[in-house]
Amino acid sequence: MSFNRDSIIQVKELFKEKRNNAIIKAENEKFRLYSDIPLLAEIDRKLSGTGIAVFEAALQGGNGLNEKLKELEKNNTALQAQRKRLLEENGYTYDPSKPKFECSICEDTGYTENGMCECFRSELINASIKNAGLAMLAAKQSFDTFSFDYYQDNKKALDNIKFIVSKCREFSKNIDDTNTPSLLLLGATGLGKTHLSTATAVETVKNGFDVVYETAQNIIADFEYERFEKSYNGAADRRKTDKYFDCELLVIDDLGTEVTNQFTLACLYNIINTRIIRGGKMIINTNLTAEELRKRYSDRITSRLLGEFQPLLFIGSDIRAKKLKMK
């Protein structure tokens, strides 16, 4: 289980910048305070010397060490109290010279002694959703926003969609289980395939997995770009297609909308077969029926789609048409 590598780098840089900005701002405030309240600078100078005084006392040792340490602690406490009063007298209810971090728990480092801070994890999820290609879809398509209301007029369709939703939820929690099969979402347009594949992908990201969501057309376009660059410039951008093999979950939306030829068939077979061999999970959406899949794609592809994936057939009436009628 691992978040998207690029997302981790981005969020680490974000937190580094955020923490540095807070520290720099506090330093600037400190010098401003010293200018407005000169006595504060003197108190801070004495406080900063406490550590050195303790170290020197420890080096000297002797029978009077405990008394020396107690005296230093007493002086330090008195200086702290004097400093606080001085700030209050000048109208400050807080210390502007101390960095004001967005997260008081991790102080904008992103980590605590127990591991990743929740603030870092939240930013990491947002970045991973964006890098997965889900930013626009995730805002509207989640398990929480999926409505069963559009299936109420057909009990068979309602029972069926409830079963599919439960399978999608289960899949998002168990994609690292070798016994969890990839999903093949079949059915006519407007029945909720994209919504549920998006919801499943988003939940999978939240569970800490690296996800890539893309249409079949765009995936093939990336392979064509790579082939073109390699053929004419001699240097392909390998990372453009590596993500389709390396991510923990690949969602291919609208399979069947891409142009079908020997090149696209080879690309699709390579992706599907390689991921099966490596144990990488997939969700594939298509408007094609099982028979149409057999006619359109080679036996090598359809045998894997229909044999290695769990098929989930969407039935019922076009939800988009129902929504339009309700307006």
Side-chain angles (χ1 to χ4, degrees):
M1 181 173 71
S2 59
F3 281 100
N4 178 271
R5 179 177 174 274
D6 291 337
S7 299
I8 293 173
I9 294 172
Q10 290 169 12
V11 177
K12 280 185 175 179
E13 285 299 314
L14 172 65
F15 271 69
K16 181 180 178 181
E17 181 180 1
K18 189 161 52 173
R19 180 175 168 81
N20 286 342
N21 287 341
I23 292 172
I24 291 171
K25 184 177 180 180
E27 283 295 308
N28 292 336
E29 284 294 309
K30 181 170 69 175
F31 290 121
R32 185 184 63 79
L33 282 173
Y34 287 170
S35 176
D36 295 343
I37 316 171
L39 181 56
L40 195 67
E42 179 63 20
I43 293 173
D44 282 352
R45 184 185 65 77
K46 291 179 180 179
L47 285 170
S48 64
T50 301
I52 297 174
V54 170
F55 180 69
E56 289 176 344
L59 284 178
Q60 292 173 6
N63 294 330
L65 176 59
N66 288 336
E67 286 72 18
K68 289 179 182 178
L69 293 177
K70 286 180 180 178
E71 183 64 25
L72 287 170
E73 183 181 359
K74 181 180 177 181
N75 290 338
N76 185 275
T77 301
L79 286 169
Q80 291 282 7
Q82 184 183 0
R83 190 182 194 280
K84 183 180 179 182
R85 284 196 304 272
L86 195 58
L87 285 171
E88 289 174 349
E89 288 169 1
N90 283 271
Y92 292 98
T93 57
Y94 67 98
D95 186 355
S97 66
K98 290 184 178 180
K100 191 175 182 180
F101 300 112
E102 288 185 20
C103 179
S104 59
I105 298 173
C106 71
E107 296 186 338
D108 293 351
T109 62
Y111 291 86
T112 67
E113 60 182 11
N114 298 319
M116 186 184 296
C117 186
E118 280 304 309
C119 68
F120 189 92
R121 182 180 179 84
S122 179
E123 286 289 351
L124 190 52
I125 288 172
N126 291 335
S128 296
I129 287 174
K130 182 179 179 180
N131 288 328
L134 289 162
M136 297 298 291
L137 293 172
K140 296 181 179 180
Q141 298 181 349
S142 67
F143 285 126
D144 290 337
T145 61
F146 189 83
S147 175
F148 293 105
D149 293 346
Y150 302 105
Y151 303 86
Q152 296 294 338
D153 58 348
N154 185 329
K155 187 178 184 305
K156 183 178 179 181
L158 178 61
D159 292 341
N160 181 69
I161 199 63
K162 285 182 177 180
F163 170 78
I164 290 174
V165 170
S166 69
K167 285 297 177 183
C168 288
R169 285 184 179 276
E170 181 183 325
F171 177 87
S172 68
K173 297 175 182 177
N174 301 303
I175 74 161
D176 56 344
D177 187 340
T178 55
N179 295 319
T180 298
S182 292
L183 302 179
L184 177 62
L185 309 188
L186 302 142
T189 185
L191 296 180
K193 298 189 300 300
T194 297
H195 189 131
L196 286 179
S197 61
T198 299
T200 307
V202 170
E203 286 301 309
T204 303
V205 169
K206 290 179 179 179
N207 289 331
F209 295 93
D210 182 15
V211 176
V212 172
Y213 190 111
E214 194 54 271
T215 64
Q217 285 181 320
N218 288 342
I219 290 174
I220 296 302
D222 283 343
F223 277 94
E224 288 175 339
Y225 170 83
E226 182 178 282
R227 181 178 67 163
F228 178 84
E229 288 292 303
K230 186 173 182 179
S231 299
Y232 295 96
N233 296 332
D237 182 3
R238 299 299 300 177
R239 291 190 63 187
K240 205 168 184 66
T241 57
D242 278 350
K243 63 185 178 182
Y244 301 127
F245 299 97
D246 297 340
C247 63
E248 290 167 300
L249 172 62
L250 172 63
V251 183
I252 303 178
D253 195 18
D254 280 338
L255 180 70
T257 57
E258 76 287 350
V259 175
T260 305
N261 54 43
Q262 288 302 311
F263 176 73
T264 58
L265 290 176
C267 291
L268 288 171
Y269 174 77
N270 188 24
I271 293 172
I272 295 169
N273 191 58
T274 300
R275 291 191 63 84
I276 289 174
I277 291 171
R278 294 180 180 177
K281 297 299 190 296
M282 289 171 277
I283 298 176
I284 297 180
N285 300 343
T286 181
N287 294 339
L288 302 177
T289 65
E291 186 57 35
E292 288 170 335
L293 285 171
R294 291 189 182 94
K295 291 179 179 179
R296 187 181 181 101
Y297 300 105
S298 66
D299 289 339
R300 293 193 305 169
I301 293 176
T302 53
S303 64
R304 284 159 177 76
L305 290 178
L306 301 176
E308 300 289 340
F309 287 62
Q310 177 175 8
L312 296 175
L313 179 61
F314 286 65
I315 60 175
S317 305
D318 190 334
I319 295 172
R320 293 168 190 163
K322 288 183 179 180
K323 287 181 178 180
L324 288 173
K325 290 181 180 178
M326 291 180 180
K327 289 183 178 180

